[in-house]
Amino acid sequence: MSSASIIRDSSLAPSGADKIAWVWNNMPLLRAVCADFEKDRPLTGLKVALSVHLEAKTACLCRTLAAGGAEVFATGSNPLSTQDDVAAELARLGVHVYATHGCSQEEYDLYIRKVIEPGPDIIVDDGGDIVQMIRTRFPELEKNVIGGCEETTTGIARLRKLERNGALHFPMIAVNDADCKHLFDNRYGTGQSVFDGIDRTTNLIVAGKKVVVAGYGWCGKGVSMRAKGLGARVIVTEVDPVKALEAHMDGFTVMSMDEAAEQGDLFITVTGNCKVITEEHFLKMKNGAILCNAGHFDVEVDTACLNRIAAEQKQMKPNIRGYLLPNGTWIYLLAEGRLVNLAAGDGHPAEIMDMSFAIQALSCSYLAGHRGMLEPRLIPVPREIDNAVASKKLETLGIRIDALTPEQREYIGL
Ligand code: NAD
Ligand code: SAH
């Protein structure tokens, strides 16, 4: 075990090992990248600082980066998604792990600091917490950084802000924006895993319920699609007129949150924004309404406001907290308003994270191979990585597709 690790309990490692073995069997792309990495060792001598939900699929990414020659320093990207048994097994495998389930904000910050302090060459971030801390607290380390990869939409929004202010000092690859990431991970991954988290927590029927989905971006499309498949009557709220129209044409009822608040049985926010459901909405809700979030932070459902105005609170069971509002209605919040699919579940399925993490690993290799050659900007995942991941995925599914003939290439002007 890595002597430097901070984990809950090293004796949990065997259970973590079983979980990792299960998902590894279902991650053929990452296994192929890992085999190539073992041969080519593209990350030899490099330190990778990683902050991603510390569960079994992420452990497979760590293992792949280590197979490429990297020394990996890993922490979670959300206090509730860390699985202590997986963290224990990763540490046993020699990764420097700093992560405990349910850690406090102070511990969370300490763990991020721990992965940064050794001076990373490459960063794998999920939401921008590593980049933010390097920039504000360890600016002297920025010059060592070859570059990094950002996993999620909100992280990229944060990086864009930095770039605009001239404060991004090393290249960051926008992994989320690769086609093989957001088209599948954000849409199908979030769509399925959100209901996995809700179902295993509430054990209630979705069919017949009015499900309100806030945000019709990549995640919102997936969540709405799956809600419909489960038999819900789906209402979408949006701020973007084009997305709202798209939801309407996709067959969903579109209205403002003000109107939806009165009607919904189950509310799911996936906007990446703050205060999407707040006091004026809570007070209009039906008795027994259930709220949860699958967007980045625990601010989409205004949990601070809920805590402020509730006359009484009651923990119904793990991950379900009841709030008695001043008007006498009870509403229920899942997983403290944090990403319900990860805080109350195992997150996206293995086959989905297989694609996202194959892109991550190949992007790290790309950064190492282009050391000093890339601008300190937000850069797209190279098209060849996206195409290679799609082709390999099709191959593992046994799907063959056609190829353009020379005549067709000429005809369409390629
Ligand atoms: P996106 O940009 O494609 O979509 C967000 C949508 O929300 C946009 O259409 C926007 O117009 C809409 N929106 C913004 N403010 C709103 C408001 N007040 N009311 C209603 N709609 C509003 O982003 P995405 O890729 O769908 O990601 C959404 C969030 O989910 C991000 O925070 C992202 O980081 C996170 N995410 C979570 C998971 C997960 O596993 N839970 C997976 C991927 C992304
Ligand atoms: N810091 C944020 C993290 C963003 S979560 C937080 O507070 O929670 C959004 C990202 O989680 C998505 O882009 C998705 O790729 C990733 N994700 C979803 N399921 C996952 C899983 N099972 N393992 C690791 N990452 C996962």
Side-chain angles (χ1 to χ4, degrees):
M1 173 177 141
S2 156
S3 55
S5 290
I6 304 178
I7 53 170
R8 181 78 65 207
D9 178 357
S10 57
S11 74
L12 299 173
S15 151
D18 290 344
K19 287 183 179 174
I20 295 170
W22 170 254
V23 298
W24 188 242
N25 284 340
N26 289 288
M27 300 181 88
L29 303 192
L30 206 56
R31 289 204 307 272
V33 174
C34 188
D36 288 345
F37 273 20
E38 272 164 1
K39 262 193 284 112
D40 304 336
R41 306 279 289 173
L43 306 175
T44 297
L46 300 182
K47 291 194 273 285
V48 175
L50 174 144
S51 160
V52 178
H53 301 287
L54 218 86
E55 56 79 65
K57 288 138 250 171
T58 303
C60 295
L61 172 61
C62 293
R63 174 176 170 174
T64 303
L65 297 173
E71 187 176 8
V72 181
F73 298 79
T75 185
S77 59
N78 179 308
L80 295 185
S81 60
T82 294
Q83 299 191 10
D84 289 323
D85 51 358
V86 171
E89 173 61 5
L90 255 189
R92 195 192 65 78
L93 293 173
V95 171
H96 308 279
V97 185
Y98 309 94
T100 51
H101 178 86
C103 65
S104 65
Q105 186 61 47
E106 291 69 37
E107 287 168 322
Y108 185 82
D109 289 346
L110 167 73
Y111 300 159
I112 301 257
R113 210 180 79 210
K114 286 282 188 189
V115 301
I116 292 172
E117 273 172 355
D121 299 290
I122 291 180
I123 293 163
V124 178
D125 224 350
D126 178 19
D129 289 347
I130 294 185
V131 169
Q132 170 73 8
M133 191 178 282
I134 291 192
R135 205 178 66 77
T136 52
R137 297 194 22 209
F138 298 93
E140 71 284 3
L141 295 181
E142 285 188 329
K143 60 180 183 315
N144 299 331
V145 178
I146 298 172
C149 301
E150 173 51 57
E151 171 78 2
T152 200
T153 316
T154 288
I156 288 173
R158 290 173 87 184
L159 288 172
R160 273 215 185 89
K161 248 193 227 171
L162 287 186
E163 194 179 34
R164 270 201 304 274
N165 297 336
L168 182 57
H169 297 141
F170 41 77
M172 286 295 293
I173 298 189
V175 168
N176 180 76
D177 294 355
D179 285 345
C180 283
K181 202 285 184 176
H182 64 271
L183 286 176
F184 305 102
D185 173 312
N186 300 29
R187 187 164 42 163
Y188 297 102
T190 312
Q192 179 167 325
S193 62
V194 157
F195 283 100
D196 171 35
I198 293 171
D199 291 349
R200 64 166 96 171
T201 306
T202 63
N203 190 219
L204 294 175
I205 187 92
V206 177
K209 284 204 169 54
K210 281 197 175 162
V211 173
V212 178
V213 181
Y216 201 67
W218 290 110
C219 295
K221 286 182 178 60
V223 171
S224 303
M225 187 200 308
R226 289 295 168 253
K228 183 177 175 181
L230 287 166
R233 287 175 286 162
V234 182
I235 295 170
V236 169
T237 72
E238 251 297 344
V239 291
D240 177 330
V242 175
K243 300 272 177 56
L245 198 53
E246 194 183 4
H248 170 75
M249 297 258 184
D250 285 346
F252 300 114
T253 304
V254 179
M255 61 180 74
S256 67
M257 183 56 81
D258 235 24
E259 296 166 273
E262 295 172 1
Q263 301 191 22
D265 301 300
L266 170 62
F267 294 80
I268 306 169
T269 52
V270 258
T271 68
N273 212 334
C274 62
K275 297 190 178 173
V276 177
I277 305 185
T278 187
E279 182 165 359
E280 70 212 70
H281 307 122
F282 299 143
L283 294 173
K284 288 187 174 152
M285 287 180 182
K286 295 194 251 186
N287 191 43
I290 297 170
L291 290 80
C292 64
N293 169 51
H296 189 73
F297 285 125
D298 54 352
V299 294
E300 301 209 14
V301 176
D302 191 350
T303 47
C305 165
L306 258 187
N307 281 311
R308 202 173 54 244
I309 66 173
E312 192 185 327
Q313 298 189 23
K314 192 164 178 346
Q315 193 68 31
M316 309 305 294
K317 55 180 278 210
N319 283 322
I320 307 183
R321 193 161 186 82
Y323 294 82
L324 175 63
L325 300 181
N327 61 5
T329 53
W330 278 93
I331 61 174
Y332 298 93
L333 178 68
L334 307 187
E336 301 176 18
R338 292 184 181 271
L339 300 151
V340 69
N341 58 328
L342 283 141
D346 293 329
H348 295 357
E351 301 97 319
I352 289 288
M353 293 319 294
D354 192 23
M355 297 173 75
S356 302
F357 286 165
I359 298 173
Q360 282 282 5
L362 293 170
S363 296
C364 288
S365 171
Y366 179 85
L367 285 169
H370 291 77
R371 186 177 199 144
M373 291 151 71
L374 303 168
E375 297 280 314
R377 283 192 299 109
L378 194 52
I379 55 179
V381 168
R383 191 72 238 170
E384 58 273 19
I385 293 182
D386 229 338
N387 285 345
V389 167
S391 299
K392 185 78 186 165
K393 182 76 188 169
L394 287 170
E395 191 188 312
T396 64
L397 294 169
I399 297 172
R400 287 195 302 143
I401 60 169
D402 295 323
L404 289 170
T405 63
E407 186 185 354
Q408 286 171 329
R409 293 179 68 84
E410 164 104 27
Y411 185 76
I412 58 175
L414 282 181

